Amino acid sequence: MVIPVHNEERHLARALEGVSAAVDHLAEKQPGVRTRLVLVLDSCSDGSASVARRYAERSAAAADVTVLAAGFKSVGRSRRAGIHALWNSGSMAAQAATTSAPFRDAPAGRTWLANTDADSLVPRNWLLRQVELAAAGADAVLGSVEPDPDGMDPALLQRWRARHPFRENHPHVYGANLGVRASAYLAAGGFPAADSGEDRALASGLRRSGANVVATDSIRVRTSGRTAGRAPRGFGAYLLALALEPPPGR
């Protein structure tokens, strides 16, 4: 699992609680599956690092939690570095945070890369369902996302829901809810080193490479409904643009 973090002190603890619940649920249902989490702290100037390190220290699987500090100011580079660190254990992890360290030899077809965001809350079945879909032949899983209504303008939330109906085979791509087989990730070229849009670029690359991409609403992630997002053209920017659109009929 990879979570990029940029000044998410307010949301990070909740995000990690959700991931912990998903890990526990997977361990309960499929105890043979090993999990590992990489938190990429990208240019954080708030208390995100303290939240991340406290979580790593008290986690029951602390040895499987890696906290990386980086200065990318790029969610694409953060995701990419996190996946490199996830793949390359031990001393390679620190190198992967700042370089394009090559992947070591590993069973890429049996390695699954789950991605979410630091302002998002994954459901309990988040990992289990991805593993199930992977076992059924999926090379990538594009989950759905719902903005958190807490503190969000109800009219904006209603407008968003009208454009994003929850259903299977939906057309949307969210970095906050994306899983991919490592072999398919490599074949597609991985996440680009972009400031935003890295999730859609990867999904396009996966489809071009012939990967079996499954879009599902069976693992819906709740994410922040703020309109001041961290990525310049990310989810928050999209919500802001949606909020500024004139009402229908004008």
Side-chain angles (χ1 to χ4, degrees), residues 33 44 54 56 59-60 62 65 75 82 105 109 117 120 123 146 154 161 173 188-190 205-206 234:
V33 179
C44 292
R54 282 197 302 270
S59 171
V65 178
V75 65
D105 292 336
D117 285 340
S120 302
E146 178 178 25
R161 285 176 172 166
V173 181
L206 287 165

Side-chain angles (χ1 to χ4, degrees), residues 9 13 16 47-59 62 67:
E9 178 182 12
L16 293 172
S48 296
S50 296
V51 175
R53 293 192 175 104
R54 282 197 302 270
Y55 173 77
E57 289 168 0
R58 70 172 183 265
S59 171
V67 179

Side-chain angles (χ1 to χ4, degrees), residues 125-165:
N125 72 331
W126 184 61
L127 291 173
L128 177 62
R129 184 60 180 146
Q130 291 184 63
V131 168
E132 291 172 342
L133 290 169
D139 294 312
V141 174
L142 307 179
S144 56
V145 158
E146 178 178 25
D148 190 341
D150 185 23
M152 187 178 182
D153 178 29
L156 175 57
L157 181 60
Q158 183 179 8
R159 185 178 295 186
W160 187 90
R161 285 176 172 166
R163 295 195 181 187
H164 302 80

Side-chain angles (χ1 to χ4, degrees), residues 198-213:
E198 79 295 338
D199 45 4
R200 295 184 295 277
L202 175 60
S204 295
L206 287 165
R207 292 188 169 108
R208 286 194 303 269
S209 68
N212 179 18
V213 179

